[in-house]
Amino acid sequence: MPAVQETVDQVRRIDVDQYKYGFVTDIESDRAPKGLSEDIVRYISAKKNEPEWMLEWRLEAYRRWLTMTEPTWARVHYPKIDFDDLYYYSAPKSTKGPKSLDEVDPELLATYEKLGIPLREREILAGVEGASDRRVAVDAVFDSVSVVTTFKEELKKAGVIFCAISEAIREYPDLVRKYLGTVVPTTDNFYATLNSAVFSDGSFVYVPEGVRCPMELSTYFRINERNTGQFERTLIIAEKGAYVSYLEGCTAPMRDENQLHAAVVELVALDDAEIKYSTVQNWYPGDKDGKGGIYNFVTKRGDCRGDRSKISWTQVETGSAITWKYPSCILRGDESQGEFYSIAVSNGYQQVDSGTKMIHLGKNTRSRIISKGIAAGRSDNTYRGLVSAHRKASGARNFTNCDSLLIGDQCGAHTVPYIESKNASAVFEHEATTSKIADDQLFYCLQRGLTSEEAVALIVNGFVKDVIQQLPMEFAVEAQKLISISLEGSVG
Amino acid sequence: MNAEPRILHTPAEVTLADAFSAARGDLPGDAGVAAARVVAFDAFQKKGLPHRRTEAWRYTDLRALLRSVPPAPPAEPASIAIADLLPGLDRARLVILDGIYRPDLSDLSGLAGVEVTGLDTLLDQGDERVGALAGRLDDAMVTLNTAMMAGGVAVRVPAGLDVTRAVEIAHVTSGAYSVFARNVVTVGAGASLRVVETFTGPNAAASVANIVTEAVIGDRAKVTWAKLQAEGDAAVHLGTTAVSIGGESQFDHLTLMTGAAISRSQSFVTYGGEFARAGLFGATMIGGKQHADIMLGVDHAVPNGASRELFKAVMDGKAEGIFQGRIVVRPGAQKVDGKMMTQGLLLSEDASFSVKPELEIFADDVQCAHGATSGEIDEDMLFYLLSRGLPRAEAETLLVTAFLAEAIEGLGDEAIGEAFEQIARDWLAGRKTLA
């Protein structure tokens, strides 16, 4: 029977490894010398043709970083990182900044093709039939540089700026200077400060007043080079009444070394603006014995600076050996809204410590947190979140729901919420549950003829439905598949 | 000159170090206990008082809050006034005055068969009951107590004995003194016991009471335990209860916090046998500038345990209420059922409530949940009562009492519950109406 054969194939695939983005692109690259020093910071800045103020900014962050120590409060364990044993800059030799698609190395284009990210503008993002009228502009970041940004011209017509941040620093210095580091200051935390010193590329988005961005914006991050760290920086600004939806995806080759990814994302939403930020994080998680994989230490923060503004984070976390990530919202403007939807799936020896912070400062601010953690194998999955109401945040509302699902008896699921209310009229509700897949649900599916893997995938997809619904359609389909793949081999 | 970095101590830490050197020769205990005291004090001194960055104490920064440490109590207090906070509750009474067990002030009637001993006797004999549970806790205040404990009481209920009369362990502080007491309660297999632990002291006396209670509950035993913290308004209360519960036992615990300027009440419950059930409840009522922190640790070390936690807190004035709860399910502890709920009610603009309910789970076949809410009195409910003709103050009292009663009644002991609810009503009667 074909169904059975399919299952057998599926199971066989798991035996090898289920990470399908683990290939390496053989491309000549230009690297900075190994290690970190003021000279390396200068080197990166010079490579990017940055103005003097940017270099000063980086150097200040670097000096600050030297005085800082690594945070140890997260529930993750890993050997100490030797920050002098990394390459902080690596770029494919053939590319001198993103210009036109025709100048891009075909090898690179093929890489993105293979990843399912078409960079030719006539094409659309893979996956969904009947979505041909939906277009997505892509900024493709390969190691330390942005190789191409699509639909730039068309976006420009609408007044939207979408480009690599290194380009923005040169082309729109006033905007960058006004907002860079205002949400995540250079002194914020160890990894954010490191990023401020050595960040190489990332995306810059500026949506002017009253403009609804005509298409989805997206950045695809790819780590290729051995021994490098990727430090990208993303800055998104939505002016009054603007709207933008931004997607982020990432993968890396399979290597038996651990690679560092320390990104910083800053979002600024002014009056009545809305930013929707979605991530499908699928960095290489390491092999079945926990060897290799990406350390994903990321600082993401949105500032609802204007009244009635809204920032929504949606994340699907399936990759990385270690995830340390807390996309947060500072609800500064009155009646502003923050949302956080998360699915974190961990398998093998993965460690996830993720969650959010909702900081209510303005009046009548609202936030909602929906977090679904799924732990399988020997992984540890922690939700860590903070909801706080400032003394002046009268009428603040929060609803938090975090559920954990355990698959197997060797994994751990943890919930560490912090709730701090300094205002009587702030109403906070928090609920959390931890359980395993109910035997009766599983039995029901099995007796309907599903295999146990299909049954688990079905039940898990039901479990995470609340979050999947928040993703843009193209990503929702992808995310659903990703979750099934991540859990393969976890049912025994 | 040696080049080692100097560790800076706060004035309180310096006073504690002096107090320890002055007292250690006179503190009770055999050579083993004396050696353990030195080890404990060194451990305390290395870390110092817990502070903001000590995760378990993040909301109660003792390094900042504990500015000074009062002197040790005199051998005999000038006057002894023991208030009766629970009129109408029939109970035997063991009085711990300024940290020392006082048989002369106690009433042991109705406790036939129960062994009651002063802690000094146990320490002099090097009895292993002392430190059996507290020794496993890594907490600065418990460690400090191990170094400084001067007295307290040991209660042992033999197997199978059903003690029907409630036993009050009354901690009375007579003035602005530092008190370090340790109590040890042992309940034999199949026995039952009802304990009321009270903490009182005069107002305006800046006392610091560090009291640790260890309770080992045998298989199939049934223990009901209510703690009433009603210290004087300038006092600092640092109380810890460490409990181990045996197989098929039942343990119900209620903490009512209403006194002291700064208080921290810690309960750590470990499951020592399967099919044990624990109910842990709390009611906090504070106003003014009071700071009350409840820390709860539930350790499901074995399979098939059940726990219910319900903690309620009412904050008025500029009071700060805190709840930190942690349910741990260890690897292999399957079929555990744990549910924790915490709710805060803010009665004034300047009050605050912080909670951190944690789940740490390493077994898959479990049912664990926690919930937390924070808010003010529900306007709709208030409106309903007002529309029925109730005056505002009365309506508020009714709603707040009902809010707290749920936790108090959880204890499942009618007589104790009634006495504690009266305390809640008195507290509400004493506060002003909301604006």
Side-chain angles (χ1 to χ4, degrees):
Chain A
M1 267 181 354
V4 175
Q5 190 51 49
E6 200 180 321
T7 315
V8 170
D9 288 346
Q10 242 177 9
V11 174
R12 195 168 292 143
R13 241 191 345 237
I14 304 154
D15 282 344
V16 203
D17 206 319
Q18 67 265 43
Y19 192 74
K20 59 176 183 179
Y21 306 107
F23 59 89
V24 180
T25 307
D26 192 12
I27 197 160
E28 234 191 315
S29 63
D30 196 5
R31 287 198 299 199
K34 210 178 214 177
L36 185 55
S37 64
E38 282 204 15
D39 289 340
I40 293 290
V41 176
R42 285 175 204 282
Y43 175 93
I44 294 170
S45 188
K47 274 275 171 202
K48 302 270 173 201
N49 290 325
E50 282 175 358
E52 188 62 25
W53 63 266
M54 196 62 231
L55 175 64
E56 276 311 310
W57 197 81
R58 286 175 180 274
L59 288 172
E60 203 185 304
Y62 173 70
R63 285 170 201 138
R64 176 83 188 196
W65 179 76
L66 290 175
T67 68
M68 297 169 96
T69 49
E70 284 170 75
T72 53
W73 44 263
R75 174 179 270 287
V76 292
H77 307 281
Y78 53 93
K80 218 171 153 41
I81 299 170
D82 183 355
F83 290 93
D84 281 325
D85 197 31
L86 290 176
Y87 292 100
Y88 287 83
Y89 183 86
S90 165
K93 242 180 192 155
S94 48
T95 333
K96 284 201 164 47
K99 275 177 194 154
S100 97
L101 209 56
D102 302 330
E103 294 174 38
V104 176
D105 189 323
E107 190 68 30
L108 272 177
L109 287 180
T111 301
Y112 283 91
E113 208 74 51
K114 212 165 157 186
L115 292 167
I117 308 296
L119 296 178
R120 304 214 173 263
E121 299 194 1
R122 59 187 150 81
E123 296 177 65
I124 50 143
L125 196 71
V128 190
E129 275 177 55
S132 52
D133 54 334
R134 289 178 67 110
R135 285 170 307 170
V136 179
V138 180
D139 179 19
V141 177
F142 195 85
D143 286 331
S144 302
V145 292
S146 166
V147 287
V148 70
T149 309
T150 61
F151 291 109
K152 254 165 94 172
E153 289 310 312
E154 197 166 333
L155 286 168
K156 217 173 203 169
K157 269 183 233 155
V160 176
I161 303 172
F162 179 45
C163 63
I165 194 141
S166 49
E167 190 183 336
I169 289 167
R170 292 188 303 267
E171 307 284 325
Y172 312 97
D174 295 344
L175 275 176
V176 175
R177 261 183 118 159
K178 187 171 169 193
Y179 291 105
L180 189 72
T182 61
V183 185
V184 178
T186 51
T187 54
D188 195 78
N189 70 67
F190 187 81
Y191 295 109
T193 306
L194 175 63
N195 175 287
S196 301
V198 300
F199 75 86
S200 41
D201 230 326
S203 303
F204 174 79
V205 178
Y206 175 82
V207 188
E209 194 169 333
V211 171
R212 197 181 162 86
C213 187
M215 61 184 90
E216 305 267 348
L217 306 183
S218 153
T219 304
Y220 197 91
F221 296 98
R222 174 81 180 166
I223 296 180
N224 187 59
E225 194 58 47
R226 190 176 290 277
N227 261 329
T228 53
Q230 190 178 56
F231 304 92
E232 89 255 7
R233 185 123 194 159
T234 298
L235 176 60
I236 301 178
I237 302 142
E239 281 280 2
K240 287 180 186 173
Y243 169 86
V244 61
S245 168
Y246 177 90
L247 325 167
E248 174 194 72
C250 29
T251 56
M254 291 196 282
R255 297 192 188 284
D256 54 10
E257 62 184 28
N258 294 109
Q259 284 181 289
L260 179 63
H261 172 253
V264 172
V265 174
E266 297 178 279
L267 312 182
V268 179
L270 299 174
D271 289 0
D272 300 296
E274 180 177 347
I275 302 175
K276 191 173 162 65
Y277 193 105
S278 314
T279 306
V280 173
Q281 187 265 102
N282 191 19
W283 294 115
Y284 176 55
D287 69 8
K288 60 182 187 338
D289 299 319
K291 205 166 162 49
I294 302 283
Y295 291 164
N296 192 30
F297 299 153
V298 176
T299 308
K300 292 185 169 179
R301 199 172 300 154
D303 190 351
C304 285
R305 217 165 269 188
D307 294 349
R308 297 168 303 279
S309 55
K310 179 176 173 184
I311 289 179
S312 170
W313 298 98
T314 306
Q315 60 172 27
V316 177
E317 302 279 320
T318 57
S320 297
I322 298 176
T323 302
W324 180 99
K325 167 177 178 190
Y326 314 90
S328 311
C329 295
I330 301 168
L331 303 168
R332 206 185 295 277
D334 291 348
E335 287 165 48
S336 58
Q337 276 185 65
E339 288 177 352
F340 175 75
Y341 300 96
S342 166
I343 300 170
V345 186
S346 57
N347 202 348
Y349 283 83
Q350 281 178 278
Q351 304 173 51
V352 180
D353 195 303
S354 183
T356 183
K357 287 183 187 178
M358 291 290 171
I359 304 187
H360 293 259
L361 302 176
K363 290 185 181 53
N364 299 319
T365 46
R366 282 172 292 159
S367 63
R368 169 196 284 263
I369 299 171
I370 307 285
S371 164
K372 309 279 180 182
I374 301 164
R378 289 166 178 273
S379 66
D380 266 301
N381 202 321
T382 305
Y383 167 83
R384 188 186 301 275
L386 166 74
V387 177
S388 78
H390 189 255
R391 226 158 42 78
K392 290 180 181 154
S394 49
R397 291 279 183 281
N398 165 268
F399 175 75
T400 302
N401 174 314
C402 35
D403 296 331
S404 308
L405 193 63
L406 291 156
I407 302 176
D409 57 3
Q410 312 246 332
C411 50
H414 321 293
T415 322
V416 192
Y418 296 77
I419 302 154
E420 301 174 5
S421 172
K422 287 194 170 21
N423 188 297
S425 63
V427 176
F428 290 170
E429 290 172 80
H430 171 100
E431 56 182 49
T433 62
T434 304
S435 57
K436 70 164 190 169
I437 293 177
D439 288 339
D440 50 346
Q441 288 174 355
L442 209 53
F443 178 74
Y444 179 83
C445 296
L446 292 179
Q447 58 106 307
R448 295 274 146 170
L450 296 183
T451 65
S452 51
E453 296 221 335
E454 284 165 342
V456 167
L458 183 75
I459 295 167
V460 167
N461 272 316
F463 175 75
V464 300
K465 196 182 69 196
D466 297 352
V467 178
I468 294 273
Q469 278 171 349
Q470 300 298 325
L471 285 169
M473 188 176 48
E474 294 85 346
F475 264 35
V477 175
E478 183 73 6
Q480 227 154 10
K481 275 193 239 151
L482 210 54
I483 289 164
S484 313
I485 291 170
S486 297
L487 289 172
E488 271 178 17
S490 62
V491 189
Chain B
M1 290 282 284
N2 73 38
E4 278 197 5
R6 251 166 55 99
I7 301 159
L8 288 173
H9 292 295
T10 67
E13 286 165 352
V14 172
T15 316
L16 283 169
D18 293 345
F20 181 67
S21 345
R24 52 187 275 208
D26 303 326
L27 289 168
D30 63 2
V33 171
R37 285 182 191 278
V38 174
V39 171
F41 197 83
D42 284 348
F44 166 75
Q45 220 172 7
K46 242 176 222 144
K47 288 188 183 167
L49 288 166
H51 49 90
R52 208 164 46 83
R53 292 186 175 273
T54 313
E55 185 58 30
W57 287 77
R58 59 179 285 135
Y59 296 109
T60 301
D61 183 347
L62 279 189
R63 202 170 275 183
L65 291 170
L66 200 64
R67 297 225 175 78
S68 62
V69 176
E76 186 62 34
S79 68
I80 306 163
I82 306 176
D84 185 2
L85 294 166
L86 305 162
L89 179 68
D90 175 55
R91 76 249 191 220
R93 187 184 243 191
L94 312 177
V95 175
I96 320 283
L97 180 63
D98 289 335
I100 307 294
Y101 171 54
R102 295 288 297 262
D104 56 322
L105 302 172
S106 303
D107 165 17
L108 273 64
S109 54
L111 301 186
V114 179
E115 184 191 306
V116 179
T117 327
L119 186 85
D120 47 348
T121 313
L122 267 69
L123 291 174
D124 289 340
Q125 294 166 353
D127 195 299
E128 287 183 349
R129 277 180 282 168
V130 183
L133 299 177
R136 293 189 224 150
L137 296 174
D138 179 20
D139 177 87
M141 288 304 104
V142 174
T143 311
L144 185 61
N145 184 284
T146 300
M148 305 279 279
M149 57 188 166
V153 69
V155 176
R156 176 140 61 185
V157 181
L161 184 67
D162 182 12
V163 186
T164 48
R165 197 176 195 211
V167 183
E168 178 184 357
I169 301 177
H171 291 269
V172 182
T173 310
S174 68
Y177 308 120
S178 283
V179 172
F180 295 92
R182 171 76 60 98
N183 304 313
V184 180
V185 175
T186 317
V187 181
S192 72
L193 182 69
R194 296 158 69 216
V195 179
V196 180
E197 218 182 347
T198 59
F199 298 85
T200 53
N203 281 339
S207 58
V208 177
N210 177 331
I211 292 152
V212 175
T213 301
E214 301 177 66
V216 175
I217 295 168
D219 293 347
R220 300 177 308 284
K222 184 178 186 307
V223 174
T224 305
W225 192 302
K227 167 176 174 173
L228 169 60
Q229 186 275 100
E231 302 257 22
D233 58 13
V236 175
H237 172 85
L238 302 162
T240 306
T241 308
V243 188
S244 146
I245 57 177
E248 294 170 55
S249 64
Q250 184 172 346
F251 176 65
D252 291 291
H253 187 270
L254 167 68
T255 307
L256 191 136
M257 303 262 274
T258 180
I262 296 160
S263 58
R264 159 105 168 172
S265 181
Q266 320 189 101
S267 308
F268 301 101
V269 180
T270 307
Y271 284 67
E274 293 189 35
F275 298 102
R277 285 185 296 156
L280 303 157
F281 306 92
T284 299
M285 306 171 293
I286 48 173
K289 286 185 176 171
Q290 281 179 285
H291 172 108
D293 181 346
I294 289 190
M295 166 84 202
L296 173 71
V298 179
D299 186 351
H300 284 280
V302 297
N304 292 305
S307 64
R308 285 287 170 278
E309 291 87 14
L310 178 61
F311 284 79
K312 303 256 190 173
V314 178
M315 278 70 55
D316 199 2
K318 292 184 173 174
E320 232 181 314
I322 295 134
F323 172 79
Q324 292 186 78
R326 178 182 225 195
I327 299 180
V328 180
V329 178
R330 304 232 170 238
Q334 301 291 9
K335 307 276 180 202
V336 161
D337 181 351
K339 289 197 173 52
M340 175 157 67
M341 183 71 195
T342 173
Q343 297 182 308
L345 191 58
L346 302 177
L347 297 182
S348 93
E349 275 295 302
D350 300 321
S352 73
F353 185 50
S354 302
V355 294
K356 185 188 164 201
E358 261 181 90
L359 291 174
E360 197 171 312
I361 295 169
F362 293 99
D364 64 335
D365 193 4
V366 299
Q367 283 288 347
C368 286
H370 67 221
T373 65
S374 164
E376 56 191 349
I377 290 185
D378 189 325
E379 279 297 321
D380 293 343
M381 291 188 197
L382 198 59
F383 178 77
Y384 178 83
L385 293 176
L386 294 178
S387 74
R388 299 273 145 167
L390 254 68
R392 194 179 177 94
E394 217 171 291
E396 281 174 9
T397 304
L398 191 68
L399 289 171
V400 177
T401 314
F403 174 78
L404 292 169
E406 199 187 345
I408 295 173
E409 283 163 8
L411 189 66
D413 186 305
E414 207 172 316
I416 297 173
E418 181 46 44
F420 274 54
E421 267 178 51
Q422 189 55 47
I423 289 166
R425 281 192 290 268
D426 291 348
W427 181 81
L428 285 164
R431 60 173 284 276
K432 280 181 287 170
T433 318
L434 295 173

